[in-house]
Amino acid sequence: MGKKNMKDKIKIPRCDGISDEEFRESILPKREPVIITGLDIGLCKSLWTVDYLSNKIGDKQVKVHVSKDKQMDFIKKNFIYKTISFRSLIKRASEREHEEFFLDKNEVYYLRALGDDPRGRDVSDFKKHYSGISDDIIFPAYFEPSQYFSSVFRIGSSGCQLWTHYDIMDNMLIQVKGRKRVVLFNPQDTQNLYLNGDKSEIIDIDNPDYEKFPKFKNVMFYEGFLEPGDVIFIPALWMHNVISLDFGIAVNVFWKNLDNSFYNQKDPYGNRDLVPAEKALQSLETALKSLKELPKDYSDFYHRRILSRVERSLNEL
Ligand SMILES: O=C(O)CCC(=O)C(=O)O
Ligand SMILES: [Fe+2]
């Protein structure tokens, strides 16, 4: 039978040195991912070595993900959080085997920088929280300053793979050091991705369990490879899965694409659903809970009625 083993793949286009006007006029309105090459991202590309960063910000304490398994799984939580100095993070993330470790001598590390608030409620702002190296990097100026939301320092061991998820803001991911493979999924494939909140249940996207996730066969992979200095535009709602092919350093910048009022004011990460969407999802949870009161055959019937109502509404868009 025509079981698809080879994924349909679309190569994410690579465009050289896009001007601000070109981005606003021909890339942003399409809402599709693009890798932009040849941008001036500043001196970080040459300056950011392990030694340089250790000297500048080595004493800063950072909370990192530590995992034995390179494929990190947020839903099953196969990693732990540890707070260590930035110096030990980059030392350990840049080496394959560790003398000092928490779980295993080959464990991997991933930093997604947070703000300074110990409860993690602070919005991450690279230039503020890493002021010692803030002048080393130039953020692309494609968006208006008023659209700025947050900027996040991201550092990962070679081989570590970040779970598939979506963010609700437009994103410019600046790859500073190391190569990365990025797989993106079109928001129209959402029903095939087995979401649990903002994350997909499918961890191994290259060898998925099709018995468990049959609809994943229909999914289109948008694949791209980032080289140091490349910047990828990830439009809001595009799911992404990232594998670090080397020890990697990146900074990403989240930008608001919609009016301020759509965004939840208590969202430090840029992944809380838009206010009307969150309201809709909460009402749906209430509806589903209510159906639990019914006998199974009735509940089945009303689940299907709700599905067809949603389908009708979707077709009317
Ligand atoms: O490159 C990474 O480490 C993850 C990127 C990501 O999820 C993001 O920028 O939103
Ligand atoms: Fe993300």
Side-chain angles (χ1 to χ4, degrees), residues 110 154 162 165 167 171 173 180 240 242 252 254:
Y110 185 79
R154 296 180 183 267
L162 191 66
H165 67 279
D167 302 294
N171 186 0
L173 172 62
K180 245 174 211 169
H240 41 286
V242 180
N252 86 282
F254 284 122

Side-chain angles (χ1 to χ4, degrees), residues 18-82:
I18 304 281
S19 71
D20 298 356
E21 295 76 54
E22 250 179 299
F23 184 81
R24 285 186 204 133
E25 279 159 31
S26 42
I27 296 185
L28 194 55
K30 276 204 205 141
R31 313 218 46 77
E32 287 190 2
V34 176
I35 297 171
I36 303 159
T37 63
L39 282 182
D40 180 11
I41 64 161
L43 292 176
C44 54
K45 229 181 119 176
S46 52
L47 284 181
W48 286 4
T49 59
V50 170
D51 284 344
Y52 174 88
L53 293 173
S54 289
N55 286 334
K56 290 273 185 181
I57 47 176
D59 295 333
K60 191 177 173 77
Q61 295 291 304
V62 284
K63 189 173 164 192
V64 298
H65 305 72
V66 184
S67 177
K68 267 203 237 190
D69 194 338
K70 287 185 172 168
Q71 271 179 338
M72 294 189 295
D73 181 341
F74 194 87
I75 298 170
K76 297 213 175 97
K77 291 257 162 55
N78 63 350
F79 55 83
I80 53 169
Y81 290 105
K82 286 284 173 189

Side-chain angles (χ1 to χ4, degrees), residues 125-266:
D125 186 345
F126 178 78
K127 303 235 170 192
K128 181 171 150 202
H129 300 127
Y130 291 88
S131 55
I133 54 167
S134 64
D135 292 338
D136 300 347
I137 188 163
I138 302 171
F139 295 163
Y142 295 133
F143 293 85
E144 297 295 334
S146 62
Q147 292 176 276
Y148 172 80
F149 174 72
S150 68
S151 44
V152 185
F153 210 5
R154 296 180 183 267
I155 294 181
S157 302
S158 179
C160 82
Q161 182 170 17
L162 191 66
W163 50 83
T164 307
H165 67 279
Y166 69 88
D167 302 294
I168 51 124
M169 308 244 180
D170 280 352
N171 186 0
M172 288 286 170
L173 172 62
I174 308 162
Q175 187 63 22
V176 181
K177 288 276 179 189
R179 295 160 306 145
K180 245 174 211 169
R181 176 213 189 202
V182 205
V183 175
L184 270 67
F185 303 105
N186 194 307
Q188 294 192 345
D189 256 330
T190 298
Q191 283 155 278
N192 302 322
L193 285 164
Y194 299 85
L195 289 194
N196 184 335
D198 61 339
K199 297 167 186 81
S200 169
E201 306 234 353
I202 306 166
I203 294 306
D204 192 349
I205 57 167
D206 296 293
N207 298 288
D209 180 349
Y210 286 125
E211 305 252 302
K212 216 166 143 192
F213 308 116
K215 289 189 188 174
F216 192 65
K217 280 185 203 161
N218 306 326
V219 163
M220 185 72 80
F221 274 49
Y222 289 71
E223 187 182 55
F225 292 88
L226 301 182
E227 298 285 330
D230 289 351
V231 174
I232 182 170
F233 169 49
I234 307 177
L237 306 183
W238 281 70
M239 311 272 160
H240 41 286
N241 181 287
V242 180
I243 301 185
S244 296
L245 303 173
D246 306 304
F247 159 57
I249 308 181
V251 177
N252 86 282
V253 190
F254 284 122
W255 305 89
K256 295 176 192 174
N257 174 52
L258 302 172
D259 190 86
N260 227 350
S261 61
F262 279 105
Y263 300 97
N264 193 308
Q265 299 306 310
K266 290 197 198 105

Side-chain angles (χ1 to χ4, degrees), residues 88-105:
S88 11
L89 163 68
I90 36 176
K91 178 183 184 295
R92 294 190 197 185
S94 62
E95 67 193 13
R96 294 231 171 227
E97 224 180 83
H98 320 294
E99 286 155 34
E100 283 179 74
F101 51 84
F102 295 109
L103 303 167
D104 184 276
K105 66 181 183 353

